[in-house]
Amino acid sequence: MSIPTKEEVSALLGGITEPDLRRGLNELNLIRGIEIDGSTIAVTVAVTGPGPHLPKYFNEVIPSKLIGVFPDVTEVKVATTQLTEQERAAMVGSVKKDTPGLLGRSDTHTQVIAIGSGKGGVGKSTTTVNIAASLVKQGHSVGLLDADVWGFSIPRMLGIHEKPKVVEDMIIPPEMFGVKIVSIGLFTTEDNPVVWRGPMLHKALQQFLEDVHWDEPDYLLVDLPPGTGDVSISIAQFLPGASMVVVTTPQQVAEKVAQRAGFMAEKTGLSVAGVVENMSFFRGDDGKVYNIFGSGGGRNLATTLNVPLLGQIPIEPRLTQFADIGAPIVLQHPDCEAAEALDGAAKELANILPPKPRSAKRISLPLLGGH
Ligand SMILES: Nc1ncnc2c1ncn2[C@@H]1O[C@H](COP(=O)(O)OP(=O)(O)OP(=O)(O)O)[C@@H](O)[C@H]1O
Ligand SMILES: [Mg+2]
């Protein structure tokens, strides 16, 4: 008979990822019992919180790991049990110790890149979501913090409306297109604007870096609000060693923009890694290029700041449509010129700021469960 041993079952199921904390079941010590009776295997697994999504997930994934793999196993019964408060606190404590929040850390694995500009409406958020999705395409792990607390647009641009889950005091960011996302917009609604003032905003951003389980991604992109305000300064204070990408348009007002960007970098302590020129030109159906907003602004700014020009993104009407239906163009239309330019900018950025090596190896939790 081809029936596995308890150890074999444990090893197989232990590799299943817990969908909220994104760690293996054995690592989190969530397998609480394995009984083998002839061709039937009964598994008990602990869930980290209430609601039906975890039992449903385990009811699907656990049988799929055993049935068909062992021809003589014909039935898999899955039972779930809730973690006790103490167990949950201990688990969250271990996960936090393992990967502490990003707040104030210069030793983190994560490359933090803030996307800013001197003025509004130049395409910061569009650039941020597309570079995020593009970095995922390149195989990197990516988080996206929407620091535009008043004018948040990331949830809509990525079509995400799911509230972050909370386990103990740890906020689990929802994931879209492989990007972990946190935005004030996930805690409120677009018709219920944020009226918080400076100190509360500062506190909210602090919490987003301290209590959110970012899990030290390769990159954390931060979509800054327009201008050089308090939010940018808070971000720079919270994230020592962060870099900045400046988004600009091709208008020949580079000097002014450069002044503002330079001023912002100086004021915030963020070092500028590069410039993205957006809305650079429009290419008609006949292939002819129209410099609708002028030309040369990005190049001039890059030269003045002495940083590379990461890309020139053409005007692409579909970018606006895609932003409204919640899908980055680099995924929806990877072959169009705008997507190629955005992919190119992301590659260039990853060349300049490659992922940092991981310093500490993740240590598995000791197995405490009885099976
Ligand atoms: N290359 C482009 N082609 C066409 N439309 C674009 C392009 N880039 C951005 N847009 C559109 O321009 C508008 C402004 O873009 P976006 O919201 O990204 O700018 P922003 O700099 O983040 O603005 P804010 O300062 O308000 O945060 C959006 O409607 C977006 O879809
Ligand atoms: Mg924006």
Side-chain angles (χ1 to χ4, degrees):
M1 287 253 287
S2 173
I3 300 280
T5 62
K6 276 190 186 187
E7 287 68 31
E8 284 172 314
V9 174
S10 170
L12 260 178
L13 301 185
I16 293 175
T17 304
E18 202 278 344
D20 286 349
L21 296 171
R22 301 184 190 102
R23 293 283 164 80
L25 291 188
N26 271 351
E27 195 180 342
L28 293 173
N29 181 33
L30 293 178
I31 298 174
R32 294 309 167 89
I34 295 170
E35 296 301 328
I36 300 172
D37 184 6
S39 57
T40 301
I41 301 180
V43 179
T44 306
V45 56
V47 290
T48 52
H53 77 286
L54 291 170
K56 185 170 176 286
Y57 172 76
F58 290 126
N59 269 303
E60 282 166 16
V61 73
I62 289 178
S64 76
K65 291 277 178 197
L66 300 170
I67 288 177
V69 178
F70 300 98
D72 296 318
V73 173
T74 53
E75 192 184 11
V76 175
K77 293 181 184 163
V78 179
T80 51
T81 164
Q82 286 283 340
L83 284 182
T84 65
E85 258 172 52
Q86 275 163 325
E87 285 174 326
R88 203 167 40 228
M91 184 189 67
V92 168
S94 307
V95 170
K96 276 191 169 173
K97 201 166 150 228
D98 194 8
T99 47
L102 297 173
L103 185 72
R105 287 180 56 212
S106 52
D107 63 337
T108 162
H109 160 77
T110 304
Q111 279 287 9
V112 182
I113 304 171
I115 319 287
S117 72
K119 59 179 191 168
V122 295
K124 290 179 294 297
S125 304
T126 306
T127 304
T128 309
V129 297
N130 280 287
I131 287 187
S134 190
L135 288 169
V136 170
K137 273 206 293 192
Q138 290 175 43
H140 301 297
S141 52
V142 182
L144 199 175
L145 170 62
D146 182 357
D148 191 349
V149 273
W150 289 290
F152 58 83
S153 54
I154 298 296
R156 182 174 49 80
M157 280 189 177
L158 287 173
I160 190 154
H161 308 289
E162 196 187 321
K163 284 219 169 351
K165 295 195 188 78
V166 180
V167 182
E168 290 289 295
D169 56 351
M170 192 161 73
I171 302 170
I172 315 284
E175 224 178 277
M176 202 67 176
F177 308 113
V179 181
K180 294 192 178 101
I181 295 147
V182 167
S183 165
I184 293 247
L186 300 178
F187 297 89
T188 177
T189 54
E190 278 188 64
D191 47 9
N192 195 0
V194 176
V195 286
W196 302 349
R197 292 185 198 284
M200 258 179 99
L201 283 181
H202 192 78
K203 186 85 196 118
L205 291 170
Q206 186 173 2
Q207 206 183 355
F208 285 168
L209 294 167
E210 194 164 33
D211 295 339
V212 169
H213 180 53
W214 291 106
D215 210 10
E216 286 199 69
D218 296 336
Y219 292 96
L220 176 73
L221 300 187
V222 184
D223 184 27
L224 291 177
T228 50
D230 293 347
V231 168
S232 311
I233 295 170
S234 294
I235 287 292
Q237 265 177 19
F238 291 149
L239 296 164
S243 308
M244 186 166 87
V245 165
V246 182
V247 181
T248 190
T249 57
Q251 271 158 317
Q252 291 280 6
V253 288
E255 226 170 85
K256 253 200 176 143
V257 182
Q259 256 175 8
R260 276 200 220 119
F263 171 69
M264 181 160 164
E266 196 182 308
K267 203 164 144 194
T268 58
L270 297 169
S271 59
V272 181
V275 169
V276 169
E277 185 187 79
N278 189 28
M279 310 192 200
S280 295
F281 56 88
F282 178 74
R283 192 184 296 279
D285 288 342
D286 54 359
K288 199 168 162 209
V289 166
Y290 300 86
N291 291 318
I292 295 180
F293 295 123
S295 65
R299 171 75 53 205
N300 286 351
L301 179 59
T303 308
T304 314
L305 296 175
N306 198 22
V307 294
L309 178 60
L310 302 171
Q312 293 178 294
I313 323 299
I315 296 171
E316 168 57 77
R318 282 176 299 189
L319 255 177
T320 312
Q321 286 165 19
F322 285 128
D324 287 341
I325 58 167
I329 201 162
V330 293
L331 301 180
Q332 286 291 316
H333 252 277
D335 298 333
C336 79
E337 200 172 2
E340 281 175 357
L342 285 158
D343 276 334
K347 284 211 179 94
E348 197 53 41
L349 192 58
N351 277 339
I352 298 168
L353 299 170
K356 295 191 224 164
R358 291 196 184 267
S359 48
K361 228 179 142 286
R362 199 174 271 169
I363 300 156
S364 293
L365 305 178
L367 282 175
L368 301 168
H371 63 254

